[in-house]
Amino acid sequence: MTDDADADGPLEPRGRDTPLASSRVAAATNRFIHAVELVAAAVFALLFAIGVVDLMIQIGQATVRGRITDPLVVIGFIDTGLLLLIIVEVYETVIAYTQESETRRIVRLVIYTGVIAMVRKAIIFRTGEYATSQDALFAAVAYALLILGLVALLLVERGQGQRVLG
């Protein structure tokens, strides 16, 4: 230890040149962030539960009204189901952060979330929602490129994982 470090007060246990007070502030902010992450996880769990109940109500209402076989209604169910899967993936990502999981697992979860989100967009894609057919074409190409990019990322990540494990 140097005289300068002694003048600043006690050092962190690992011998870093950071005063102990700074270490306490970092620990306090880490606890705060961890608590907020847990609250976020609880919010996503609640959203998922509400979404499942809502989907069941939608299916029940469509059945009673005789619209259960309407393709647009079924696509609406699929859209809601995929949104619920996105919520689950985001929840899993938040939990992975709180458990300080390895970065590879967190990246994989984020990629899965992106793939599900883009597949959802592709399933509910309607050309009539765009001002011109050229706008619809640009959107379709953008969705396709994003999906291909996410799938490529997933394949690369899986390939790297096999090399690390194998």
Side-chain angles (χ1 to χ4, degrees), residues 123-158:
I123 288 173
I124 64 170
F125 180 79
R126 299 284 173 263
T127 56
E129 295 176 2
Y130 297 90
T132 67
S133 56
Q134 186 176 13
D135 290 346
L137 178 63
F138 285 147
V141 169
Y143 289 162
L145 288 174
L146 282 169
I147 291 171
L148 290 173
L150 287 166
V151 168
L153 275 173
L154 190 59
L155 292 174
V156 166
E157 191 281 329
R158 283 189 174 179

Side-chain angles (χ1 to χ4, degrees), residues 55-133:
L55 179 59
M56 291 177 3
I57 290 169
Q58 287 179 32
I59 292 170
Q61 288 175 343
T63 302
V64 168
R65 293 179 183 151
R67 299 189 65 216
I68 193 73
T69 58
D70 182 347
L72 291 178
V73 171
V74 173
I75 288 174
F77 297 153
I78 293 169
D79 180 38
T80 302
L82 289 172
L83 182 58
L84 291 172
L85 288 177
I86 291 168
I87 292 171
V88 168
E89 289 299 325
V90 172
Y91 168 82
E92 290 290 332
T93 302
V94 171
I95 292 299
Y97 273 105
T98 64
Q99 295 173 345
E100 297 180 10
S101 296
E102 65 178 81
T103 305
R104 292 180 58 77
R105 179 168 185 258
I106 294 169
V107 168
R108 191 176 314 122
L109 288 168
V110 171
I111 293 170
Y112 288 155
T113 304
V115 169
I116 294 169
M118 291 312 303
V119 167
R120 176 178 172 257
K121 284 296 224 180
I123 288 173
I124 64 170
F125 180 79
R126 299 284 173 263
T127 56
E129 295 176 2
Y130 297 90
T132 67
S133 56

Side-chain angles (χ1 to χ4, degrees), residues 1-12 15-19:
M1 285 192 224
T2 65
D3 291 333
D4 291 340
D6 290 336
D8 290 337
L11 298 179
E12 286 185 351
R16 293 177 53 194
D17 289 334
T18 306

